[in-house]
Amino acid sequence: MITLDAFIVLASLTILIALLIWNKIERHWIGLAIAVVLVVTGVVSPSEAIKYVNWDVLGLILGVGIFTVYLERSGLATLAARYILKHSKGSPYTTVFLLSLLAGLVSIFMENVSVVLLFYPVVFTISRSIEIDPRTPMILMALSANIAGSATMIGDPPALITAGAFNLSFTDFIFYKGKPSMFFFTLVSMIVAIALSAYLSVKRNARIMSSRGVDHAVLGYDSQGSLDEIFVWEAAFFLSIKIILLSLRNILSIPLSFSAFIAVSGITIARLIHRDRGSVKEAFRHGFEWRLLIFLASLFILSGAFEKHGIAKILAEYLVKEFSYNIFGLTSVIMWLCVALSSVIDNVPITLTMIPIVKTMSSITSHDPVILMWAALIGITLGGNFTYIGASANVTAVRMLEKNGYKIGFLDFMKVSIIYNATSVLLAWLLYSLIYIVA
């Protein structure tokens, strides 16, 4: 039975999606209004709203946003773009493919939002150089950063939560009981999805591609002159520190935002020592993304309300009752339910909701709970890419596009994501079913 509070949460989610599709009101004001309604109506208390917001992620976004401006000014993004374009030999398809693949591989070891903020200057540099619209490469880069998160147990919160709940080791995500697991499902699906989406995007944008290539736009220094080598080395050094801290955050027991704080503090001090106050002022002026922070905080509150009132659990338990003794039907329902939910709700509460449900299914059916959880994790990880509100990294990518003057609506995002996600989800479902269900 759905309560009045649960109905308000569902109505709020529906209104949010409708207004985002309408695309006439800025999304941060929509999110803020919905969060206020949830608190005023008593669906969530003020203390619960504060608790639901993942302040660590917001701190990471704030810090990395500031640090990214330093990266842009240092010219490190330009060097990275030159490297990618050199190896792609100026081919728009190969360039977009390599950029997306590299973002996905880095995301295996880094938090997804950090990957998007790290790569977005590279996307714009490359797009300007070969004269393509940066919206599609940016979206594909964000989708790849998201999809690779559960390839290992250290890449994304759902993977970490799953590993803890089922006492899994690092190698279980690569091979489980002698069979390929999340690492292979994720990476094979990602590579195929990138290849197809990059081909279609380049074909769609072929008419606006530059015929002059990239020779003097990328491989040589442009009119801005030589890069400040000291600044480049400082940016690379503190970027490396941030990546190392993010990769070792679980071993060191440090919050996500700590790595960004160290990187920003270090490079700010270094710039002040060099009396480069202009870079410091610009980094703090343009790196503070308050609109993005407000919208993400609102999504966290909505996700928390969704979990509190057990909406996902009600739906999941009903479906389990209908399919509990058909292993193919059961795993398919688990996966596609998680795909649907993670398209509009943050993946952490969905993971926390599914774990006890999966354990209950296992006790009823005697199926291995980990094998059932792989189906849920595939849906949670891959499904969050259908819309940009399903993952913080996608929201961040959309905001970076808008910040640079490229408007992108809810449906505009889906025009790119639907091909990518349909390919990745269907392929992962096929691989999973062949390895764990049919075999």
Side-chain angles (χ1 to χ4, degrees), residues 4-14 38 43-44 302 305-307 309 311 345:
L4 176 60
D5 285 348
F7 177 79
I8 293 174
V9 174
L10 288 172
S12 298
L13 177 60
T14 303
L38 293 175
V43 173
V44 297
L302 181 59
F306 200 90
E307 179 187 11
H309 295 287
I311 299 169
I345 300 295

Side-chain angles (χ1 to χ4, degrees), residues 105-154:
L105 294 177
V106 171
S107 185
I108 293 175
F109 306 101
M110 280 185 66
E111 202 279 330
N112 301 343
V113 173
S114 295
V115 175
V116 171
L117 289 170
L118 173 64
F119 275 85
Y120 101 81
V122 182
V123 172
F124 279 104
T125 301
I126 288 175
S127 298
R128 285 193 298 267
S129 299
I130 59 177
E131 294 186 356
I132 61 172
D133 191 310
R135 281 173 283 201
T136 296
M138 177 71 88
I139 293 172
L140 292 179
M141 179 269 291
L143 297 178
S144 300
N146 275 321
I147 200 176
S150 290
T152 68
M153 65 177 285
I154 65 172

Side-chain angles (χ1 to χ4, degrees), residues 6 27 40 119 122 133 141 181 191 256 275 283 326 389 406:
R27 63 179 59 87
V40 170
F119 275 85
V122 182
D133 191 310
M141 179 269 291
S181 55
I191 292 171
L256 289 168
R275 297 181 181 179
N326 178 346
I389 65 173
Y406 292 90

Side-chain angles (χ1 to χ4, degrees), residues 12 29-44 49 298 301:
S12 298
W29 297 128
I30 299 172
L32 181 61
I34 286 176
V36 170
V37 168
L38 293 175
V39 173
V40 170
T41 57
V43 173
V44 297
S298 303
I301 294 171

Side-chain angles (χ1 to χ4, degrees), residues 123-367:
V123 172
F124 279 104
T125 301
I126 288 175
S127 298
R128 285 193 298 267
S129 299
I130 59 177
E131 294 186 356
I132 61 172
D133 191 310
R135 281 173 283 201
T136 296
M138 177 71 88
I139 293 172
L140 292 179
M141 179 269 291
L143 297 178
S144 300
N146 275 321
I147 200 176
S150 290
T152 68
M153 65 177 285
I154 65 172
D156 216 15
L160 286 167
I161 294 168
T162 298
F166 295 94
N167 195 28
L168 299 174
S169 67
F170 185 91
T171 55
D172 285 330
F173 277 74
I174 302 174
F175 286 97
Y176 179 71
K177 294 186 175 180
K179 294 183 178 181
S181 55
M182 289 303 299
F183 183 84
F184 293 96
F185 302 149
T186 300
L187 289 191
V188 171
S189 300
M190 181 186 74
I191 292 171
V192 174
I194 292 172
L196 179 60
S197 300
Y199 172 76
L200 293 176
S201 69
V202 169
K203 185 177 181 181
R204 185 166 51 243
N205 290 296
R207 288 177 294 181
I208 61 171
M209 297 290 180
S210 172
S211 59
R212 63 177 176 82
V214 298
D215 293 344
H216 53 275
V218 179
L219 301 179
Y221 290 101
D222 54 25
S223 59
Q224 295 177 348
S226 299
L227 299 175
D228 183 339
E229 292 187 7
I230 295 177
F231 198 173
V232 170
W233 280 108
E234 288 173 349
F237 174 76
F238 289 109
L239 174 62
S240 300
I241 294 295
K242 184 173 75 69
I243 292 173
I244 292 170
L245 290 175
L246 283 171
S247 300
L248 300 177
R249 67 188 187 279
N250 299 308
I251 298 174
L252 301 176
S253 298
I254 56 176
L256 289 168
S257 53
F258 180 75
S259 61
F261 173 78
I262 293 297
V264 169
S265 299
I267 198 167
T268 298
I269 292 171
R271 286 292 90 198
L272 290 175
I273 290 173
H274 291 293
R275 297 181 181 179
D276 183 10
R277 295 183 179 179
S279 294
V280 174
K281 289 180 180 179
E282 184 174 344
F284 282 85
R285 182 186 304 119
H286 297 291
F288 180 59
E289 285 294 325
W290 63 271
R291 294 178 180 84
L292 175 60
L293 298 176
I294 288 176
F295 184 61
L296 284 176
S298 303
L299 290 183
F300 284 133
I301 294 171
L302 181 59
S303 294
F306 200 90
E307 179 187 11
K308 174 186 175 182
H309 295 287
I311 299 169
K313 189 174 182 180
I314 293 171
L315 178 58
E317 288 177 342
Y318 170 77
L319 294 173
V320 169
K321 182 180 178 181
E322 298 295 323
F323 294 93
S324 59
Y325 294 99
N326 178 346
I327 183 62
F328 176 74
L330 179 60
T331 53
S332 298
V333 165
I334 291 172
M335 194 193 77
W336 288 104
L337 172 64
C338 290
V339 167
L341 292 174
S342 62
S343 295
V344 292
I345 300 295
D346 186 72
N347 53 24
V348 170
I350 297 174
T351 306
L352 293 171
T353 299
M354 289 305 299
I355 285 172
I357 294 174
V358 164
K359 289 182 177 179
T360 301
M361 295 179 200
S362 175
S363 64
I364 294 172
T365 63
S366 298
H367 296 308

